[in-house]
Amino acid sequence: MIALIGLGGNLGDVRGRLRDAIDALERVPGVHVTARSRIYRTPPWGHLDQPDFINAAIAVSTSLDAHALLDALLAVERSLGRVRDGARWGPRTIDLDLLAFGDAVIHDDRLDVPHPRIPERAFVLLPLADIAPDVVLPGMGRVADLRAAIDHGACQVLE
């Protein structure tokens, strides 16, 4: 199964933490990173009075089911110092989001796949379009078309 994962953060050495997160995911049995996006600087979303975010996306091939992959993402976040304190859209050291899991549609108390706010978020669509422009997200459309339809003028490619 191919899964798409968004990575981001805005506190501390985010670029280093993104690299560490990708390396940690490569060590998870049943997970293999197959593509990496460029790295972007993006304005905050939700709470605007915080530092800009650094964002990227990866594609992984996995033999894990979606919930097991989510558990692996959360474990990597914790290993890199992320404390989920309930503050939504606030500053964070690292954030790993399961954006899509093949063509699965999952909505339960732990997981929404594809991530329901992908079409609203340039910080997700820019890196996602780097690695999966032709992927069609169920109920949303093709990644490249979603990217073309959103304002991303304040975002900047860093590497």
Side-chain angles (χ1 to χ4, degrees):
M1 179 68 65
I2 299 297
L4 302 173
I5 298 166
L7 302 91
N10 68 342
L11 297 176
D13 178 16
V14 178
R15 285 193 218 183
R17 221 171 283 106
L18 295 182
R19 284 189 296 275
D20 292 346
I22 293 167
D23 291 345
L25 286 170
E26 272 285 4
R27 292 190 298 274
V28 173
V31 176
H32 175 67
V33 176
T34 59
R36 300 175 188 211
S37 74
R38 295 176 288 178
I39 296 177
Y40 293 83
R41 178 185 311 278
T42 63
W45 195 93
H47 298 290
L48 303 180
D49 58 341
Q50 60 181 317
D52 284 349
F53 277 77
I54 306 299
N55 294 99
I58 59 173
V60 301
S61 173
T62 184
S63 59
L64 302 178
D65 68 35
H67 289 91
L69 181 56
L70 174 64
D71 290 340
L73 296 177
L74 295 173
V76 169
E77 284 184 352
R78 283 190 302 275
S79 76
L80 294 173
R82 169 83 187 264
V83 176
R84 288 185 174 263
D85 61 5
R88 270 190 109 161
W89 305 314
R92 61 205 55 205
T93 56
I94 187 76
D95 190 28
L96 304 176
D97 285 326
L98 182 52
L99 301 173
F101 192 78
D103 60 0
V105 176
I106 304 168
H107 299 294
D108 63 32
D109 60 334
R110 295 191 60 222
L111 188 57
D112 276 318
V113 173
H115 195 290
R117 288 178 293 282
I118 290 173
E120 305 165 11
R121 296 177 167 177
F123 69 85
V124 172
L125 287 168
L126 288 169
L128 204 52
D130 284 350
I131 61 170
D134 295 321
V135 166
V136 176
L137 300 170
M140 296 179 183
R142 191 169 150 263
V143 169
D145 296 335
L146 295 170
R147 180 194 181 278
I150 195 163
D151 177 17
H152 54 273
C155 301
Q156 173 187 13
V157 176
L158 295 179
E159 57 182 79

